[in-house]
Amino acid sequence: MDAKIVLLPGDGIGPEIVTQGRRVLETVAERFGHSFEMSEHPIGGNAIDDFGDPLPQATVDACRDSAAILLGAVGGPKWDDPTAKTRPEAGLLKIRQELGLFANLRPIQTWDELVDASPLRRDIVAGTDILFFRELTGGIYFGDSGRRPHDSGEAAYNEMVYSTGEVERVVRLAAQAAQKRKGKLTSVDKANVLEASRLWRQVAERVVTEEFPDIEYEVVLVDAMAMHLISRPKDFDVVVTGNMFGDILTDEASMLPGSLGLLPSASLGSDGPGLYEPIHGSAPDIAGQNLANPLATILAVAMLLRHSLNLNDEAAAVEEVVSATLKAGHRTRDIASGGTSVSTTEMGDLVVSQLQA
Ligand code: IPM
Ligand code: MG
């Protein structure tokens, strides 16, 4: 297979981890006889510094012309000024919107050898396997926003909007995924308060009843879900929810396996390239020190191979190698629980050499 892959390293630890992701892609290409044409483009804070824009048009054009995109992370204290004209995060929101990446898949799996790194008890988390579908291009992150005068000074507002079509398409994808897993779908909303959630619930229920009568379906309010996620995470299979609820709940859920450093995500649209990235951020505190855990990015590479290139054997090979590396006891500092650890590049070396074998 010939495929164009765009790399967006971004800020902080982004360049270090994407470098390891690139090596894995090169190794897969070599071992399985593919040709990946890879090019790097700016996004985020460094793009603001160099081009005055967190998402330069040339980056968007390259992404549109690709089969898949691998992103590191964006943001950092340097660009945190709340009065700044633009922020690194705006680049990320815009690329999602430009490419119509409405479904964000965030698998939360526990690794038996790391369960003891979780802040929660082994008996609660071991065996957890949840696939989140976060709606990614609608809701309050994309609604009308602004400020207006107020007696006390100013008022600020953000509008939360969902349309029938936006709910239908993400619920449909989530229900299809549930059919291939344990057959259970949980839709999360705040329908006791928000009108946008009442539409969400109505549409989700209709899609499931009409098109997926075979799956087990439930609705849970978002505040209750925050609680259930840490008290009985094993009860969930596929979870679908709106943009902001999904943002918050997936950060919460990311603590179940014990480390953010192992969690990949995929953002998909109805056609065109998918975007793959680790769930964690740019970790400016350890940037440039060769300490970051590249495994989430490497697992994002596996998702890229599977979802955008349809290379299922290659994806499984990458996942098996990551699993074997962890089983063999190799740890970056974030998951070493104070024990001996390997660097970012050493972890990359371990994965690459096993993948070559
Ligand atoms: C995420 C991040 C982003 C989001 C930020 C950086 C804009 O938190 O991918 O979850 O809120 O979507
Ligand atoms: Mg987030």
Side-chain angles (χ1 to χ4, degrees):
M1 156 176 300
D2 286 355
K4 275 191 199 164
I5 300 175
V6 162
L7 307 174
L8 305 178
D11 307 316
I13 59 171
E16 297 163 67
I17 54 179
V18 167
T19 297
Q20 302 312 314
R22 177 183 199 134
R23 294 177 65 203
V24 169
L25 283 165
E26 284 162 356
T27 310
V28 165
E30 233 166 78
R31 176 171 150 195
F32 292 88
H34 305 301
S35 159
F36 298 149
E37 186 189 322
M38 293 187 260
S39 60
E40 287 191 14
H41 297 272
I43 189 171
N46 65 86
I48 296 179
D49 290 349
D50 294 347
F51 304 96
D53 183 349
L55 185 68
Q57 187 56 42
T59 298
V60 179
D61 294 342
C63 288
R64 279 194 205 290
D65 186 42
S66 73
I69 304 151
L70 182 67
L71 174 94
V74 300
K78 185 177 174 196
W79 305 282
D80 261 350
D81 176 4
T83 62
K85 208 172 81 246
T86 181
R87 297 178 53 101
E89 290 82 0
L92 189 53
L93 293 177
K94 192 166 165 218
I95 191 73
R96 292 170 177 168
Q97 192 177 39
E98 290 274 339
L99 300 176
L101 306 173
F102 63 84
N104 183 214
L105 283 63
R106 297 186 164 186
I108 305 287
Q109 253 169 301
T110 45
W111 303 76
D112 200 53
E113 29 316 307
L114 290 175
V115 161
D116 296 314
S118 173
L120 295 172
R121 286 202 321 260
R122 171 176 277 274
D123 60 304
I124 291 182
V125 290
T128 296
D129 182 3
I130 307 174
L131 177 57
F132 275 91
F133 278 75
R134 166 189 175 192
E135 198 290 325
L136 201 60
T137 52
I140 194 163
Y141 292 5
F142 288 93
D144 185 27
S145 69
R147 295 194 183 199
R148 55 183 174 232
H150 185 266
D151 292 346
S152 62
E154 265 185 307
Y157 63 92
N158 293 82
E159 194 178 34
M160 183 190 276
V161 186
Y162 269 116
S163 67
T164 304
E166 282 174 323
V167 182
E168 277 171 356
R169 62 187 184 181
V170 71
V171 168
R172 204 168 273 139
L173 281 189
Q176 282 163 356
Q179 280 179 325
K180 292 195 202 124
R181 292 169 48 103
K182 289 180 217 135
K184 184 169 174 192
L185 179 64
T186 304
S187 174
V188 176
D189 63 36
K190 187 71 187 174
N192 54 348
V193 177
L194 303 174
E195 194 56 35
S197 278
R198 285 193 274 274
L199 179 79
W200 179 286
R201 186 175 286 205
Q202 224 178 319
V203 174
E205 250 157 34
R206 176 173 53 71
V207 169
V208 172
T209 320
E210 286 176 2
E211 300 174 30
F212 305 91
D214 53 322
I215 64 173
E216 190 187 330
Y217 176 68
E218 62 172 354
V219 291
V220 179
L221 292 170
V222 63
D223 45 354
M225 188 66 186
M227 199 168 63
H228 299 325
L229 263 183
I230 54 168
S231 59
R232 49 180 189 90
K234 277 180 277 197
D235 289 353
F236 300 100
D237 179 20
V238 178
V239 176
V240 63
T241 189
N243 204 341
M244 181 165 64
F245 299 156
D247 187 21
I248 298 168
L249 291 176
T250 54
D251 261 28
E252 185 193 3
S254 74
M255 282 293 101
L256 299 169
S259 168
L260 263 179
L262 290 172
L263 300 173
S265 88
S267 303
L268 309 175
S270 36
D271 48 28
L275 184 148
Y276 302 83
E277 58 181 310
I279 284 191
H280 61 70
S282 61
D285 53 320
I286 58 162
Q289 297 177 43
N290 204 16
L291 288 174
N293 186 347
L295 292 180
T297 309
I298 291 171
L299 290 168
V301 166
M303 291 187 91
L304 181 158
L305 293 167
R306 179 174 296 119
H307 293 284
S308 282
L309 306 185
N310 216 2
L311 298 175
N312 295 310
D313 292 347
E314 289 81 344
V318 171
E319 285 163 351
E320 272 156 34
V321 163
V322 168
S323 179
T325 307
L326 290 170
K327 283 211 175 81
H330 304 295
R331 303 278 184 271
T332 42
R333 201 184 61 163
D334 56 312
I335 50 175
S337 314
T340 44
S341 56
V342 300
S343 66
T344 309
T345 44
E346 284 165 342
M347 187 58 103
D349 293 344
L350 285 163
V351 171
V352 164
S353 60
Q354 287 178 80
L355 208 48
Q356 282 163 338

